[in-house]
Structures are given as C-alpha cells and as structure tokens.
Amino acid sequence: MFASATVATNLAAVREQIERAATRAGRDPASVRLVAVTKTLPAEAVLAAWEAGQTEFGENRVQEAATKVPAVAVSGAAPRWHLIGHLQTNKARAALDLFAIIQSVDSLHLAEALSRRAPPGYPVLVEVNVAGEASKTGIAPDEAEATIETMRGLPNLDVRGLMTVAPQAADAEDVRPVFRQLAALARRFALPELSMGMSSDFGVAVEEGATIVRVGTAIFGRR
Ligand SMILES: *Cc1c(COP(=O)(O)O)cnc(C)c1O
C-alpha cells in the first residue's frame, strides 16, 4: 500500500496552493487542471491519488506507461493519462493507444507521424523550449510560429495549446519570464491550453496563466 494518507494530504495542499495562486491573479481556480505526475512510481501511487479524487495523471515514457496504465485499469480506476515526455516516432502508435493527450509534441516530424495514425481531433500540445536550453527538447521560440501554423494544418491533430518545462531555478520568480513568454505565444495563436509549472514553480505558473500544472514531487514525495 502506497502511503495513501500522505498522498491525500499533499494533494489537498497542492490544490489549495493552486486555488490561492489563481485567486491572486484574479483567475477562476476551476480554470486550472492538476496533472499528477507518476513517473517511476508504482500503480499503487496512482490508485492512492485516484482515491483522493485525482483523475488526471502524467507519465513521461511510453514503455513505463505500457505496464502501469493496464495495471491501474485492472483496479477499476479510469484516469485520463497525459504523455509529458519526449516521444520517439516509432512509438507514436503505442502512445496514441495509451494516452488521452500528448503534451510533448516537440517536432514537426513527430506531429506528422502522430497525425497519420491518430483518430480525428486527437488533442496535443506543442512543447516549446522557451529558454533555449540545449539539454531540453521542444520547438525553439524563433521557429515556433511557423511550426505551430504547419501543425495546425495536419488533418487529425487538434493543437490545443503549448507546454514548456522551465529551467531549474533556486527561486520560482526567476522562471516567471519563461512562463510569461509561453503565455504570450499561446495568446498570439488563440490557443486555450497552457501547460506549465511543476512542484517548484506551479504557483508562479498559475499566476502567469497556466491551465494545466504537472506536479509529481509535491504530491508523492521525492522520486
Ligand atoms: C517529472 C516531470 C514533472 C513533475 O516534476 P516535479 O518536480 O516532480 O513536480 C513535470 N513535467 C515533466 C515534463 C516532468 O518530466
């Protein structure tokens, strides 16, 4: 049994922080969705959060999800799974079968591969490497406009918004400009979804307009 009492307590605290951040920014707290990130954690962790009312979950690897998703389903839980990590083209088919949404579409090549195999209207987010870090995947900001435009023309993908992984920072305030830049880009395309903010910085991300935050450590503890 995963420490389900702790998970429930942590979840409640994260939800409350999201609410407070939304309220500070004059936003409706209901406009922010929490995705609980369960990478490296067992199915029991998913079930503990599910029992505490959490319905959306994130995984970063297809191979790991391929065992975890069915293991969770067998227990009767029916979460909505988000893919949040880099996807290789040869795993596009498997990813489409496992995930309700792919947040980490980080190249036109991948988007085309997904569109060839996806059912019509399959929701995706485009990952943007806002800070231009060499260690991270994602579309470069100066290529984002052209790439997003092309992706929107693909037949089976519904480009719902943008996603970013901010640089590691000692102070969440340091990454505020990254979130602000992603929000500006989404506004330019009238894209409704903005996935940004993790355990260390989701409050700032919500203040800057996040509609999806992806939180692991603050809910489940250190991996
Ligand atoms: C691991 C991960 C998260 C969650 O990170 P925490 O710091 O544990 O909250 C969010 N987004 C992505 C893409 C991740 O890989």
Side-chain angles (χ1 to χ4, degrees), residues 37 39 60 84-85 163 165 197-200 214-218 223:
V37 178
K39 65 186 183 205
N60 66 338
I84 60 172
M163 179 270 224
V165 179
M198 314 189 353
S199 290
S200 58
R214 312 174 308 266
V215 179
T217 309
R223 286 179 294 270

Side-chain angles (χ1 to χ4, degrees), residues 7 18 27 43-44 58 66-67 72 74 77 93 106 113 116 140 142 150 176 208 212 217 222:
V7 168
I18 290 171
R27 301 183 55 205
E44 286 72 24
T67 53
V72 167
V74 149
R93 171 82 270 161
D106 55 12
R116 278 197 295 277
D142 60 342
T150 310
R176 188 181 291 276
E208 294 301 329
I212 299 174
T217 309
R222 272 193 185 288

Side-chain angles (χ1 to χ4, degrees), residues 136-184:
K136 292 211 169 89
T137 56
I139 314 283
D142 60 342
E143 290 163 16
E145 296 213 20
T147 308
I148 292 166
E149 208 49 63
T150 310
M151 285 182 185
R152 285 181 118 180
L154 294 172
N156 292 325
L157 300 187
D158 178 11
V159 178
R160 309 261 326 136
L162 306 180
M163 179 270 224
T164 200
V165 179
Q168 295 245 321
D171 183 348
E173 281 302 327
D174 294 343
V175 295
R176 188 181 291 276
V178 169
F179 296 147
R180 204 165 274 181
Q181 211 178 317
L182 192 74

Side-chain angles (χ1 to χ4, degrees), residues 66-172:
T67 53
K68 201 178 298 182
V69 168
V72 167
V74 149
S75 306
R80 193 161 179 273
W81 291 100
H82 298 237
L83 180 62
I84 60 172
H86 176 65
L87 173 62
Q88 287 169 290
T89 310
N90 64 355
K91 294 194 177 125
R93 171 82 270 161
L96 289 163
D97 288 342
L98 289 164
F99 294 95
I101 175 170
I102 296 175
Q103 294 200 10
S104 43
V105 177
D106 55 12
S107 72
L108 185 55
H109 179 63
L110 174 61
E112 287 166 344
L114 287 168
S115 182
R116 278 197 295 277
R117 296 163 178 86
Y122 184 86
V124 297
L125 305 184
V126 179
E127 183 173 355
V128 181
N129 187 355
V130 176
E133 290 177 282
S135 61
K136 292 211 169 89
T137 56
I139 314 283
D142 60 342
E143 290 163 16
E145 296 213 20
T147 308
I148 292 166
E149 208 49 63
T150 310
M151 285 182 185
R152 285 181 118 180
L154 294 172
N156 292 325
L157 300 187
D158 178 11
V159 178
R160 309 261 326 136
L162 306 180
M163 179 270 224
T164 200
V165 179
Q168 295 245 321
D171 183 348

